[in-house]
Amino acid sequence: MGWQWFHRLGSPRWFYEKTDAWIPWLAVVSFALLAVGAIWGLAFAPADMKQGNSYRIIYIHVPAAFLSLAGYYIMAISGAIGLIWKMKLADMVMKCAAPIGAVFTFISLVTGAIWGKPTWGTWWVWDARITSMLVLLFLYLGVIALQQAYQHQDTANKASAILALVGTVNIPIIYKSVDWWYTLHQPATIKFTSESTIHPSMLYPLLTMVIGFYCFYALVLLISTRTEVLEREKKTRWVNELAAAKAAGGKV
């Protein structure tokens, strides 16, 4: 049963039809969480004893950093599935995850620089954590470039998947960089194996933002993948039927 579900999920048509009902719910949940988390964190969370109000950028910086790492795993795993099981949908997810992950990584780097200016007195340092995050951005951009570099889609998918899988070695480096090397970047404040070092009054709105970012990521990835499905399957009968229904005023 599990394998049947797995292969059914790999069907572009099945994916498109099943996810149609998910989009409105994900949109409502993600925007509600982001609105609540942003207002809670920016307006009601107390100022930090040392950093004052400048720390509030964590409500954007930390969730974006989380998604840049988690998104890379989604991209790499999708690439591996495409290589091993030749699932077209996995290749589509990999392609769509790359620009989304690149945007989150860029946001993480920019907000980190803004936070670093009042904290460290400079916009940028070649810190182990920051440098490895920059490498992550280049890996995302590399996958995007490979998708555009080949005329044959299968070749582009294979090259992108290989790069994505090789690049996974950078993820644990990012996670452990503050432990392995001397770094200006502070250690993780949210911990799952021990007590978090951030006060609950600041932690709860941050967790709300993290969950909201994850929901928003899922929403954008679904929409992007659905668009990619229609583009690649545009010559199939079921897509033509959808287009005809839309033209006639039906719901796609």
Side-chain angles (χ1 to χ4, degrees):
M1 185 68 179
W3 281 107
Q4 183 181 4
W5 179 87
F6 179 72
H7 285 282
R8 185 180 297 172
L9 183 61
S11 165
R13 179 177 182 177
W14 187 89
F15 169 84
Y16 189 90
E17 293 175 347
K18 291 299 180 182
T19 56
D20 186 53
W22 301 358
I23 302 298
W25 291 102
L26 267 177
V28 171
V29 171
S30 60
F31 287 115
L33 286 171
L34 291 173
V36 170
I39 295 172
W40 191 357
L42 297 177
F44 294 100
D48 184 73
M49 183 174 61
K50 295 181 179 179
Q51 301 183 49
N53 287 315
S54 66
Y55 88 96
R56 296 184 192 277
I57 202 167
I58 67 170
Y59 297 112
I60 301 297
H61 174 73
V62 172
F66 278 10
L67 262 299
S68 64
L69 301 179
Y72 194 91
Y73 275 129
I74 291 174
M75 182 180 70
I77 291 171
S78 299
I81 293 173
L83 281 175
I84 298 170
W85 286 287
K86 311 298 182 184
M87 288 188 177
K88 294 188 293 183
L89 182 62
D91 291 329
M92 298 178 198
V93 171
M94 175 187 63
K95 178 181 179 180
C96 295
I100 301 172
V103 169
F104 277 110
T105 306
F106 180 76
I107 292 173
S108 176
L109 287 169
V110 170
T111 54
I114 295 172
W115 191 9
K117 179 60 176 176
T119 305
W120 301 333
T122 182
W123 297 100
W124 183 270
V125 292
W126 290 103
D127 178 272
R129 171 64 62 84
I130 299 173
T131 303
S132 54
M133 283 295 291
L134 182 62
V135 171
L136 181 67
L137 177 61
F138 290 152
L139 287 168
Y140 274 124
L141 295 178
V143 172
I144 296 172
L146 286 174
Q147 281 290 324
Q148 304 298 324
Y150 296 94
Q151 292 184 345
H152 198 278
Q153 189 62 58
D154 288 341
T155 305
N157 292 335
K158 290 178 181 178
S160 300
I162 292 172
L163 176 60
L165 289 170
V166 171
T168 56
V169 300
N170 187 52
I171 305 300
I173 293 175
I174 295 173
Y175 276 121
K176 302 298 292 184
S177 57
V178 294
D179 301 320
W180 290 345
W181 297 286
Y182 172 77
T183 171
L184 290 175
H185 199 285
Q186 68 185 54
T189 53
I190 300 178
K191 300 179 180 179
F192 300 101
T193 57
S194 59
E195 186 177 356
S196 297
T197 57
I198 183 173
H199 193 271
S201 60
M202 303 174 183
L203 174 62
Y204 295 147
L206 178 57
L207 290 177
T208 303
M209 288 295 287
V210 169
I211 297 171
F213 264 69
Y214 270 94
C215 291
F216 181 71
Y217 176 90
L219 174 66
V220 175
L221 183 60
L222 283 180
I223 293 174
S224 180
T225 303
R226 284 164 58 86
T227 303
E228 186 69 17
V229 166
L230 292 180
E231 176 62 27
R232 295 199 192 186
E233 301 284 296
K234 60 186 177 182
K235 295 182 179 180
T236 61
R237 180 179 177 181
W238 72 270
V239 172
N240 290 327
E241 290 174 351
L242 284 174
K246 184 177 181 180
K251 182 181 179 182
V252 177

